[in-house]
Amino acid sequence: MATYVTKEGLEKMKAELEHLESVERPKITQQIAEARDKGDLSENAEYDAAKEAQGMLEMKISKLKDAIATSKVIDESQLDTSKVSILMTVRLKNNATKQEQKFTLVPDNESDLKAGKISVNTPIAKGLLGKEVGETAEILLPNGNKLSFEVLEITL
């Protein structure tokens, strides 16, 4: 199954993989070597901890490699700004509070609420997908509350 990412998201994953392989992996190898030099491995907690950390790191590296291999970069030039979709920035008016909010819909692994980037798989994003400027999105949250937003603007 393909994972959709932005070009920046793919570059970020590649940089993290490079860091894990070139910095973290040698560090753990060194820790294992130092723990092994301390003698009896059957009662060596440092050795066990280092081996466990190595296993976790290798699993993380493997998952990252899989994610990179199955990633599909979203071509922004092919996106239609007449409807809300992934990578769109949406300016909304909360119909209850009359306050405006702005969100950019991004793939799961790129969400960052502080930066206004929400995953396309969140209830709010799902409720906005496919809406056009002027339409109202009625969104049911997991806690049972309902939100009502008017779509004011859609930009890339």
Side-chain angles (χ1 to χ4, degrees), residues 92-128:
L92 309 164
K93 180 175 75 177
N94 182 320
N95 290 328
T97 65
K98 304 299 180 211
Q99 289 186 314
E100 286 189 17
Q101 292 176 287
K102 201 178 224 183
F103 294 116
T104 301
L105 279 53
V106 297
D108 277 340
N109 58 342
E110 296 180 37
S111 64
D112 178 359
L113 201 51
K114 286 184 181 134
K117 296 178 176 183
I118 62 172
S119 164
V120 289
N121 292 316
T122 60
I124 291 175
K126 284 181 178 177
L128 293 171

Side-chain angles (χ1 to χ4, degrees), residues 6-123:
T6 60
K7 191 172 184 193
E8 300 83 56
L10 183 61
E11 293 307 316
K12 209 162 139 186
M13 285 194 298
K14 287 179 177 178
E16 182 183 358
L17 178 62
E18 171 67 24
H19 174 77
L20 293 176
E21 289 182 326
S22 64
V23 177
E24 297 301 323
R25 186 183 269 162
K27 227 189 270 185
I28 287 181
T29 302
Q30 181 63 34
Q31 289 171 355
I32 291 171
E34 287 171 9
R36 192 180 295 130
D37 291 343
K38 292 182 180 174
D40 185 10
L41 297 181
S42 64
E43 293 182 20
N44 189 331
E46 281 180 53
Y47 178 78
D48 291 342
K51 285 299 277 182
E52 188 171 323
Q54 182 185 40
M56 298 293 280
L57 177 70
E58 292 304 325
M59 189 169 67
K60 192 172 183 178
I61 288 171
S62 176
K63 280 185 176 180
L64 208 45
K65 281 183 174 178
D66 285 348
I68 290 169
T70 60
S71 286
K72 194 169 174 88
V73 176
I74 301 162
D75 182 356
E76 293 181 31
S77 68
Q78 299 297 311
L79 297 175
D80 172 12
T81 57
S82 69
K83 289 183 166 95
V84 177
S85 71
I86 193 164
L87 296 190
M88 300 289 168
T89 298
V90 186
R91 192 166 56 88
L92 309 164
K93 180 175 75 177
N94 182 320
N95 290 328
T97 65
K98 304 299 180 211
Q99 289 186 314
E100 286 189 17
Q101 292 176 287
K102 201 178 224 183
F103 294 116
T104 301
L105 279 53
V106 297
D108 277 340
N109 58 342
E110 296 180 37
S111 64
D112 178 359
L113 201 51
K114 286 184 181 134
K117 296 178 176 183
I118 62 172
S119 164
V120 289
N121 292 316
T122 60

